């Protein structure tokens, strides 16, 4: 499955997730606006919007209407315990 090409929005979401994991975008930090991200990453606004949806699905960011999108979490470590941080 690794031979399949990845969608641009997934690549963008992965790049932003890496910035969150490296603390380049710490918890509480605001992501740039959609238009700024189109220029920063040289992608379409549709790609930016889908990447933000993907990041929300991963529970890394939250979008507040008329306020922006903010970092709310960090990606779980791949080598860590899969149940770490989960509550039941």
């Amino acid at each position: 499955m690794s031979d399949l090409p990845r969608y641009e929005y997934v690549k963008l979401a992965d790049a932003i997730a890496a910035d969150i994991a490296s603390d380049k975008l710490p918890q509480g930090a605001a992501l740039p606006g959609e238009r700024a991200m189109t220029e920063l990453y040289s992608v379409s606004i549709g790609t930016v919007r889908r990447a933000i949806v993907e990041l929300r699905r991963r529970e890394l960011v939250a979008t507040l209407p008329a306020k922006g999108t903010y970092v709310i979490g960090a990606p779980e470590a791949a080598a860590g315990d899969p149940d770490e941080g989960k509550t039941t």
Side-chain angles (χ1 to χ4, degrees), residues 4-86:
L4 296 175
R6 293 187 310 156
Y7 291 108
E8 286 300 313
Y9 79 93
V10 175
K11 292 178 189 178
L12 178 56
D14 288 346
I16 295 169
D19 286 347
I20 293 169
S22 70
D23 219 26
K24 185 176 178 183
L25 286 170
Q27 188 167 356
L31 267 59
E34 290 177 346
R35 298 241 182 250
M37 290 176 72
T38 62
E39 294 178 15
L40 182 64
Y41 295 103
S42 300
V43 295
S44 71
I45 196 156
T47 298
V48 169
R49 289 178 177 162
R50 288 188 71 181
I52 291 171
V53 168
E54 176 66 15
L55 291 167
R56 282 197 308 255
R57 187 191 66 75
R58 296 180 194 182
E59 299 179 352
L60 298 177
V61 301
T63 301
L64 303 174
K67 300 287 184 188
T69 302
Y70 296 86
V71 176
I72 60 169
E76 293 182 20
D81 181 7
D83 294 329
E84 185 176 315
K86 290 186 180 179

